[in-house]
Amino acid sequence: PFACLEQKTSKSVGLRDGKLWQTVATQIPSYLDSDGLANYFPPRAEDGARGSDRLTAYVLAATHEAGFELPAAARDAMLSGLAAFVEGRIERKFWSPRADLDVRKLAAIEALSRFGKAQPRMLGSVNLTPNLWPTAAVIDWLNILRRVNNIPDQAKRLDEVQQTLRSRLAYAGTTLKFSNEEGDFWWWLMDSADANAARLILAVLDDPAWKDDLPRMVLGSLGRQRGGAWLTTTANLWGAVALNKFSAKFESARIVGKTVATVTDGAADSTRSIDWGSAADGGNVKLP
């Protein structure tokens, strides 16, 4: 029911509503400040340059991941604004319950990396201590290492960040959790464990080393829902995109194989089977 830029973006992109997104996209220039950073609501002239680097990174990353296009002029202005923020040519200081500049810079560099605009030198002002970061930042770091060339010790760092992420994965029944997720709810940066679960799926979707983990991760992400939804609008966008991409990659092939079920009723066993490959409609059948 809200009308800020994050809500509008999350709703239109998460629902894959192209018509609604076109309406939002045409409005985006009116949300940008003089540095090209996005505000949650259209700024007034007297507000000055108060756009959010984190919101800007989110809009760029989420639309890019989902395949939604931003107006070229607005996109370029946003990318320039993020680059200026990372390089220290502009500053954004907002209240936060803990120090968050490194985390914000990583999110900005991750968004820039999607458009080929990130450079290794941008990491010079970031303390590279992934074991101390919230999971959202570790996922950003994984994506940066995969997209940006010539980062010192790149292969070693890539192995380390994947080990860090694997060490944080935990399951409660079929629900995916993170070992440190109580410290992952950085709400002022729109980060949450729900969003992290979906973003991690997207980050490793094409990595053969994670292929066997993905089905359980997807089910575990769905297990985090309450009342058919995740906690935040940003998490619902990431979750919807992750499920769509997982389905397109792994669920488009015809089902093959055989399922056998044995039911014990007193002294007698009753066995039934389905050969999915011979099912006329590709497996949409009832157990005989």
Side-chain angles (χ1 to χ4, degrees), residues 131-146:
N131 285 331
L132 303 179
W133 295 337
T135 303
V138 181
I139 296 170
D140 285 334
W141 181 224
L142 172 63
N143 288 334
I144 291 166
L145 286 167
R146 285 180 169 165

Side-chain angles (χ1 to χ4, degrees), residues 118-121 123 144-152 154:
Q119 302 294 330
R121 58 181 171 76
L123 295 164
I144 291 166
L145 286 167
R146 285 180 169 165
R147 299 188 191 122
V148 181
N149 296 324
N150 300 318
I151 295 175
Q154 190 153 1

